[in-house]
Amino acid sequence: MAETTDSYNNKRYLFLVSTPIQYINALEYIHINGILFQNCKLLILSHSKRTVDQIMCLDDIEKWLSVKTPMFGSLPVILKMIRTLFFMKLRSNEIPVVGNCNNIWNIYLLQKYKRSNISNKGIVLDDGTATVLTLYLRSKDDFSVNISQDNLINKILIFITSLELICPDGLIFFTILKGLKGSSRDIVQIHDYSYFKSIYRLKKKIIKNELWFIGAPYVQLGLIEEKVYKDIIFKTRKRANDLGLSFKYIHHRSESSLPSYINKEETIYNEMPIEIYLAKQEEEPAIISSIYSSALFTLPYFSISIKYISYDIRGKFLNNNKNFTRDMDEIYKYIGSSKHISLEKI
């Protein structure tokens, strides 16, 4: 039986987000389920000033009962971690609503909540390709998580809390990704951004002669060689020229710098989630392309007039680990099943 608005508002929630799109999905969850902001506390778990600033400028930030950024600031890492742990320990009975299952803090809070509330379910928001992989693995009863044990923060938290790198069974997943199932004890709640579509009053827009490429720190993260990324950019720029379109590069907030082979004049420095940026524009590009950005899943809910392209670069990744290969196969398999995204070799 579905829960009523009254039953939602008899509860207290602790939201953990680390990216702007996770925050957008948190707002969607609150509004779709009729939850009162006075019952919701927000933790922004990012040490990046740009990420924190982007989230703090988004809708409804002033409505939360409290907003904390415990991992941000000039304190030493260990003190910021103690501050974050202290905040979470005080709120162990509040229902956790987390950004994904691949963040060490999210796993810690989900496990802690499950131990003390065995019959209740924590909630996981949408995080694009990460959600695809999480639900695929959980459908196979694999509850392992993709968390690096080399990261200093992860190492410290695992040591001081004896944390297992396992995501609890029996969660609620709030997602736009249709056709995915978790474990037999999970619940998948599908949404379509109806709240955000209503507030931005989306309408048919003028198509401008542009092709956008959504950048990401693939080279920085060691996923592909720079010459591969450069080749993709050059081919995408040529495609734009051949179609009589202007090439535009969407600079990702996580990129340390603009690649040298991209001109500043063709770069869009966007300080808000691309979904909101696009919704606020009077015009929109003819084509949006990327390698496998999660934005390719979300943007069609904000505009179906645009052609969306994902570049399949399997065989060009530096990581040949069998689990990584499996993960990329699942991501591209799901992209290929979408009626809104064209999957192309490049």
Side-chain angles (χ1 to χ4, degrees):
M1 181 181 294
E3 294 195 74
T4 64
T5 298
D6 286 343
S7 69
Y8 276 108
N9 286 327
N10 288 329
K11 299 173 181 177
R12 300 292 180 267
Y13 299 85
L14 179 60
F15 285 74
L16 275 64
V17 303
S18 54
T19 66
I21 190 59
Q22 290 177 13
Y23 177 79
I24 293 300
N25 291 331
L27 294 187
E28 191 74 20
Y29 183 81
I30 288 172
H31 286 285
I32 291 299
N33 291 303
I35 299 170
L36 299 176
F37 276 98
Q38 68 194 43
N39 295 333
C40 300
K41 296 168 185 170
L42 175 67
L43 249 63
I44 303 173
L45 294 176
S46 176
H47 54 79
S48 163
K49 183 180 186 303
R50 190 175 181 193
T51 296
V52 171
D53 286 349
Q54 282 190 10
I55 293 173
M56 293 297 287
C57 289
L58 291 172
D59 295 332
D60 293 338
I61 196 70
E62 75 288 350
K63 294 182 180 179
W64 297 81
L65 181 60
S66 68
V67 178
K68 304 288 185 184
T69 57
M71 289 301 294
F72 178 68
S74 58
L75 287 175
V77 169
I78 188 66
L79 293 182
K80 288 189 283 190
M81 292 187 69
I82 291 171
R83 180 170 63 183
T84 306
L85 277 171
F86 179 74
F87 191 88
M88 289 184 180
K89 284 181 180 296
L90 290 177
R91 291 153 180 85
S92 59
N93 289 321
E94 294 170 355
I95 300 171
V97 186
V98 305
N100 63 30
C101 287
N102 292 321
N103 177 288
I104 196 83
W105 293 109
N106 296 347
I107 296 302
Y108 168 75
L109 193 61
L110 288 171
Q111 287 185 10
K112 183 176 175 59
Y113 180 74
K114 194 68 174 179
R115 284 195 297 270
S116 57
N117 299 270
I118 193 73
S119 62
N120 293 330
K121 297 178 184 292
I123 297 143
V124 183
L125 302 172
D126 215 343
D127 202 25
T129 54
T131 303
V132 172
L133 295 177
T134 296
L135 289 175
Y136 166 75
L137 292 174
R138 292 172 73 87
S139 71
K140 308 290 184 184
D141 286 333
D142 181 348
F143 302 99
S144 60
V145 291
N146 183 24
I147 292 176
S148 170
Q149 296 187 54
D150 296 328
N151 177 282
L152 177 61
I153 291 174
N154 295 352
K155 275 183 176 179
I156 295 172
L157 191 60
I158 290 168
F159 177 75
I160 63 179
T161 65
S162 301
L163 185 69
E164 290 184 272
L165 294 183
I166 297 291
C167 192
D169 194 7
L171 300 174
I172 297 172
F173 287 84
F174 183 71
T175 179
I176 59 171
L177 301 173
K178 299 175 182 177
L180 296 175
K181 298 178 181 179
S183 77
S184 60
R185 292 157 293 281
D186 290 333
I187 295 172
V188 178
Q189 182 184 355
I190 298 294
H191 72 97
D192 63 356
Y193 286 114
S194 57
Y195 168 70
F196 271 95
K197 287 189 288 189
S198 70
I199 64 170
Y200 285 105
R201 304 181 185 279
L202 301 182
K203 60 183 183 296
K204 192 172 180 62
K205 299 181 179 182
I206 298 169
I207 301 293
K208 54 184 174 181
N209 294 326
E210 291 183 354
L211 185 159
W212 292 3
F213 180 87
I214 302 173
Y218 299 109
V219 176
Q220 200 174 306
L221 295 172
L223 294 174
I224 57 176
E225 293 180 347
E226 182 156 19
K227 65 180 181 181
V228 171
Y229 197 58
K230 183 177 180 181
D231 183 58
I232 292 168
I233 298 300
F234 276 40
K235 287 180 177 177
T236 305
R237 188 185 284 122
K238 182 179 184 303
R239 179 182 197 157
N241 292 337
D242 291 346
L243 293 171
L245 305 175
S246 297
F247 172 80
K248 295 293 180 181
Y249 183 86
I250 310 296
H251 187 256
H252 194 276
R253 69 182 182 282
S254 297
E255 290 182 274
S256 57
S257 61
L258 187 68
S260 60
Y261 38 88
I262 296 171
N263 303 321
K264 288 184 178 180
E265 296 75 22
E266 62 187 9
T267 303
I268 297 174
Y269 292 94
N270 173 34
E271 293 302 325
M272 64 182 73
I274 190 171
E275 296 82 2
I276 305 304
Y277 177 80
L278 187 65
K280 289 184 173 183
Q281 301 302 304
E282 293 297 323
E283 301 177 318
E284 59 190 18
I287 300 171
I288 293 180
S289 62
S290 179
I291 296 178
Y292 59 87
S293 170
S294 295
L296 295 176
F297 296 135
T298 55
L299 286 172
Y301 287 89
F302 294 81
S303 176
I304 59 172
S305 301
I306 298 169
K307 180 177 181 179
Y308 300 96
I309 301 172
S310 171
Y311 296 133
D312 184 347
I313 62 166
R314 280 174 288 184
K316 297 180 181 180
F317 289 107
L318 292 174
N319 190 337
N320 293 317
N321 176 280
K322 66 178 183 179
N323 285 342
F324 179 82
T325 300
R326 174 206 63 196
D327 291 351
M328 295 314 305
D329 284 344
E330 286 303 316
I331 288 172
Y332 279 121
K333 178 181 175 183
Y334 190 80
I335 291 173
S337 71
S338 171
K339 64 180 180 180
H340 297 300
I341 308 170
S342 175
L343 182 60
E344 300 180 8
K345 287 280 188 182
I346 191 167

